[in-house]
Amino acid sequence: MAPQNPRLPPFRALLAFRAAATHDRLAEAADALGVTESAVSHQIRQLETLLRAQLFDRTSRRLVLTETGARYLARIDPAIRELEAATEAVLPASDRTSVRLTLPTSMAATWLLPRLGTFEAANPDLDIQLVPTTRVVDLDRDQVDIAIRYGRGNWPNLDKTFLFDDNATPVAAPGFVPEEAADIGDILARSRLIVIRSIPDEWQEWARARGLPSPDLSGALELDAIEQGLQVAEAGHGIAIGRTPYIEERLARGTLVTPFGATGPSGAAFYLCLPAGRPPPARTLRVKRWLLEQAAASRTTPETDNT
């Protein structure tokens, strides 16, 4: 006979824990669930109280699982995915299908979302469900169909297709750097620099490529996302490292300029990634073709050189 009072935690608490465990920051987990950060935090603490165990290491600035938390996630994640699959099997068939696409959060905001309307207009029967995140998603575990990844292409068990190079150069609001200024090192020393926490070495890498000494970042403004850095620079509050494809539209509008010249390759690139070893469904291939078309259009867009 089944127990009268099974020891099951609230399902909302399980979903909150799972979302937090698969994202780098609480804000991303909250966005994924469509709730507030405080709601996610409350549900996690409720679950920890029930389990009498700490699931996250709270000494880290990011969401890092404890050993207990990692073991718990490994047990509950397949069960939740089974529930999702069972529910999908019972629901009536829909005329629309979907493809789950994961990509860096800043890229979603600055490059993909402005273009998404063209895909929706041309493909009324297909939805692209975005999974924007700063972490590297396991496509099989998280049931994601396709990914845009940033790096040098050395990911195992994935079919990789080049999208475009990552080119970088400092950007600022028009007039922030005086036109008559000539000494780059002096300009950087007198200006407020903007650093993105997820790319902490980008200023050093850019300076090294230009044969310049690394700028002093002791007074730099640290932000979480590339989009935030570009917005702050656009408002005239500092100099950020601008990267393609994030800066294309701002350069075209003239809200940002490249005071030290055009962008140059960083050595990394953006790739389109699919699980290796099995042919992708037709719907995924449609999304892949469209993304490749958008990337090709981005590569042929002339870049403004504000030297």
Side-chain angles (χ1 to χ4, degrees):
M1 179 180 294
Q4 295 299 313
N5 296 300
R7 300 176 66 182
L8 292 176
F11 196 59
R12 285 184 180 179
L14 290 177
L15 292 180
F17 165 67
R18 185 196 190 206
T22 53
H23 292 81
D24 279 342
R25 298 190 179 279
L26 205 61
E28 293 179 6
D31 287 343
L33 294 174
V35 298
T36 64
E37 291 184 46
S38 60
V40 175
S41 180
H42 173 74
Q43 293 290 347
I44 291 173
R45 290 191 180 278
Q46 182 181 6
L47 182 60
E48 288 179 324
T49 300
L50 176 66
L51 297 175
R52 302 176 188 175
Q54 185 171 323
L55 301 174
F56 290 95
D57 178 3
R58 289 181 172 80
T59 63
S60 173
R61 298 173 69 176
R62 294 182 179 273
L63 290 170
V64 178
L65 287 167
T66 61
E67 184 179 346
T68 300
R71 289 200 309 269
Y72 194 58
L73 176 66
R75 296 293 297 273
I76 70 163
D77 186 62
I80 293 176
R81 285 194 280 124
E82 281 295 322
L83 289 172
E84 291 171 340
T87 303
E88 286 291 334
V90 172
L91 287 172
S94 171
D95 292 333
R96 297 178 65 87
T97 57
S98 63
V99 170
R100 282 168 58 82
L101 164 66
T102 184
L103 73 170
T105 304
S106 294
M107 189 179 192
T110 59
W111 185 77
L112 184 62
L113 286 177
R115 294 168 166 79
L116 202 53
T118 62
F119 178 86
E120 293 172 342
N123 299 272
D125 61 325
L126 182 57
D127 288 323
I128 297 181
Q129 296 181 356
L130 298 184
V131 186
T133 179
T134 57
R135 71 184 181 89
V136 177
V137 169
D138 184 312
L139 302 188
D140 288 324
R141 188 192 71 186
D142 294 333
Q143 295 183 306
V144 172
D145 300 292
I146 190 168
I148 296 177
R149 287 191 178 175
Y150 167 76
R152 301 181 185 273
N154 53 348
W155 305 289
N157 304 318
L158 291 176
D159 287 332
K160 300 169 283 288
T161 305
F162 171 82
L163 283 180
F164 32 64
D165 285 313
D166 173 46
N167 294 312
T169 193
V171 293
F176 185 85
V177 176
E179 291 185 7
E180 64 275 9
D183 189 300
I184 295 177
D186 183 56
I187 295 169
L188 297 180
R190 291 187 288 106
S191 302
R192 188 171 202 183
L193 305 185
I194 298 167
V195 173
I196 306 306
R197 292 190 180 99
S198 59
I199 323 174
D201 299 327
E202 61 180 353
W203 274 105
Q204 292 90 330
E205 292 175 355
W206 174 80
R208 189 181 307 116
R210 294 290 295 262
L212 298 170
S214 296
D216 180 10
L217 301 178
S218 58
L221 175 63
E222 294 190 14
L223 298 171
D224 287 328
I226 294 173
E227 174 67 9
Q228 293 174 342
L230 296 179
Q231 289 174 349
V232 171
E234 203 171 23
H237 299 311
I239 305 177
I241 292 290
R243 322 180 80 89
T244 56
Y246 302 121
I247 59 175
E248 293 168 348
E249 293 191 6
R250 286 177 165 93
L251 293 179
R253 294 197 309 265
T255 57
L256 283 176
V257 297
T258 57
F260 309 135
T263 59
S266 69
F270 291 90
Y271 294 86
L272 199 58
C273 300
L274 287 84
R278 61 178 185 270
R283 64 180 186 275
T284 303
L285 290 176
R286 285 165 61 186
V287 174
K288 177 182 178 180
R289 283 193 296 268
W290 178 76
L291 289 170
L292 291 174
E293 291 170 359
Q294 297 303 307
S298 295
R299 292 197 299 270
T300 57
T301 300
E303 184 181 311
T304 303
D305 183 357
N306 302 99
T307 53

